[in-house]
Amino acid sequence: MNKTKKIIFEAAIKAFSQKGYHKSTMDEIAETAGVAKGTLYYHFKSKEDIFRFIIDEGLKMVEDEIVDRTKHLDNPIEKLRMVCKVQLDLVIKYIEFFKTILSQMWGDEERQSQLREILNRYFRLIEGYLKEAADAGLIDGNDIKVKAFNFFGVMASTVVYSLIHKDMDTNDMIEETIEFMMRGIGKR
């Protein structure tokens, strides 16, 4: 991502997470990014285009981080633990991005459908890690697809928890959540 797109990415996330998608304007995004409106339109045709970009790029960032932090691990359970840790670390670090995702999950507009399609890519990645652990006999192999969605669900509820409990010890919360997930997937 080039420097200008990164600035727009961060400004759009800020606008969408604070005001919501519908109340955010191209003018506000340009102003927050510190770029001319023409520069914004040079890179993106519309607010929808910006939204699609931030969701796609943001989830690629999560996926890349998961792959990078698990590639050196051999044990499927350790990989799953790392997936949990990476998810939660990133949720805390990029809370505004995850607030944006959660705020746009429901509805029938094209934007929401595209978001769900992008999330499906993430779910398939998680399914791969779960299947590897199930094939090794380390977790219950039933309902792998549901378990992959539950990984996201736990992450989503952690966003809500972190918004309510701003004084929490994040390391303790991450460790407790990882243990909860391991029990939930039927770790043997």
Side-chain angles (χ1 to χ4, degrees):
M1 176 178 345
N2 72 37
K3 184 179 175 183
T4 303
K5 279 192 166 185
K6 184 167 178 48
I7 291 168
I8 295 168
F9 174 87
E10 291 169 357
I13 288 171
K14 185 175 182 178
F16 294 152
S17 70
Q18 291 176 352
K19 295 182 101 179
Y21 175 83
H22 290 292
K23 291 183 181 175
S24 298
T25 66
M26 293 292 274
D27 288 333
E28 290 168 331
I29 294 169
E31 184 179 324
T32 302
V35 300
K37 194 171 176 183
T39 302
L40 190 64
Y41 278 105
Y42 174 79
H43 290 284
F44 300 99
K45 295 176 188 169
S46 65
K47 188 167 64 167
E48 284 282 342
D49 207 21
I50 293 173
F51 181 81
R52 234 180 340 270
F53 175 76
I54 67 169
I55 296 302
D56 193 43
E57 288 298 313
L59 283 171
K60 276 184 195 170
M61 176 185 64
V62 173
E63 293 164 345
D64 290 348
E65 184 75 15
I66 287 171
V67 170
D68 186 57
R69 303 255 313 265
T70 59
K71 67 184 175 191
H72 69 282
L73 300 173
D74 294 323
N75 182 316
I77 294 297
E78 289 308 308
K79 287 180 183 180
L80 287 170
R81 293 179 70 78
M82 184 58 71
V83 167
C84 290
K85 180 160 180 33
V86 168
Q87 273 187 151
L88 295 168
D89 284 344
L90 292 176
V91 163
I92 292 164
K93 186 175 180 180
Y94 299 107
I95 190 79
E96 299 299 319
F97 171 71
F98 289 97
K99 281 170 45 181
T100 300
I101 287 177
L102 294 176
S103 73
Q104 293 298 310
M105 290 276 303
W106 295 269
D108 295 326
E109 294 179 30
E110 185 178 337
R111 176 182 59 267
Q112 285 108 3
S113 296
Q114 289 169 344
L115 171 59
R116 289 189 292 269
E117 184 58 39
I118 292 168
L119 282 171
N120 271 324
R121 183 182 73 213
Y122 170 78
F123 297 141
R124 287 189 298 274
L125 174 69
I126 302 307
E127 284 174 30
Y129 288 102
L130 290 164
K131 185 167 178 5
E132 181 182 358
D135 290 349
L138 300 171
I139 67 168
D140 174 2
N142 294 323
D143 301 319
I144 294 292
K145 285 187 182 296
V146 172
K147 286 178 174 123
F149 278 78
N150 286 335
F151 262 70
F152 184 80
V154 169
M155 182 180 67
S157 64
T158 301
V159 171
V160 174
Y161 183 86
S162 68
L163 291 171
I164 295 170
H165 301 282
K166 293 182 189 294
D167 60 340
M168 69 185 167
D169 180 307
T170 54
N171 290 326
D172 289 346
M173 184 205 58
I174 288 170
E175 283 307 311
E176 178 59 33
T177 303
I178 290 170
E179 290 309 313
F180 173 79
M181 286 300 299
M182 292 298 102
R183 286 188 305 271
I185 62 173
K187 179 183 164 219
R188 295 184 174 148

